[in-house]
Amino acid sequence: FLSRSAVQSLIKTDCVAICGGSKACKPAAKLKGGDTITVTLPAPPGCAGIKAEQIALSILHEDDHLIAVNKQAGLTVHPWNAVASGTLVNALAWHLQHSEASLSSVGAASSRPGIVHRLDRFTTGVILVAKSDLAHWRLSEHFAQRKVDKRYLAVVHGEVAQDQGMVDAAIGRDATQRERMCVREPGDK
């Protein structure tokens, strides 16, 4: 299972060929019956660039394939432009540095090794982190196919009109504050 952008990246870096490698593939290439497609996957980038930091973790489950962490509010999941350290990924690097285990190499190039899904910085909850590439792809597939049941409990401030309710809407990045998530209407950019 590869995302469309991952496949396009492989095509743009000449890792995909048509007819046994005789023709380089282009993203808009049209295939004909009998064409053979060859994909050469590059070596995993590894996680060597991730700085290990001693940050307390609440590990709910860990085995050879994955780690389930109860992520505390205020902890960013992975390094990005505005946050270079103090993340869950940095904490997991510390946790795993003295064992033979490691995080999945999937996502390592973008400082997200093993990260299958995300939780906002100020959200607390269970996050699954893959320790192997196979576990990463399988967990990603389950999330993509909506086979994972996710439930959220919100704490609100102010006057609430109803005792309970459900928000059944798409969530996306806030248009003005890109680090925040919000309910998005279809077609919003």
Side-chain angles (χ1 to χ4, degrees), residues 15-34:
C15 293
V16 179
I18 300 174
C19 296
S22 63
K23 295 191 285 186
C25 186
K26 297 192 188 299
K30 294 190 192 252
L31 300 175
K32 299 178 193 123

Side-chain angles (χ1 to χ4, degrees), residues 61-82:
H61 172 81
E62 181 173 5
D63 60 28
D64 292 341
H65 308 285
L66 63 88
I67 302 174
V69 178
N70 184 15
K71 187 192 87 60
Q72 65 265 35
L75 181 65
T76 301
V77 173
H78 58 80
W80 62 292
N81 295 345

Side-chain angles (χ1 to χ4, degrees), residues 65-100:
H65 308 285
L66 63 88
I67 302 174
V69 178
N70 184 15
K71 187 192 87 60
Q72 65 265 35
L75 181 65
T76 301
V77 173
H78 58 80
W80 62 292
N81 295 345
V83 180
S85 63
T87 70
L88 176 64
V89 169
N90 299 114
L92 288 167
W94 178 274
H95 173 73
L96 295 171
Q97 74 181 350
H98 299 296
S99 70
E100 293 182 20

Side-chain angles (χ1 to χ4, degrees), residues 21 24 30 35 37 39-40 45 56 71-72 100 124 127 154 157 177 182 184:
K30 294 190 192 252
D35 280 351
I37 300 170
V39 178
T40 306
K71 187 192 87 60
Q72 65 265 35
E100 293 182 20
T124 186
I127 186 164
H157 175 74
Q177 295 181 2
C182 67
R184 302 296 304 252

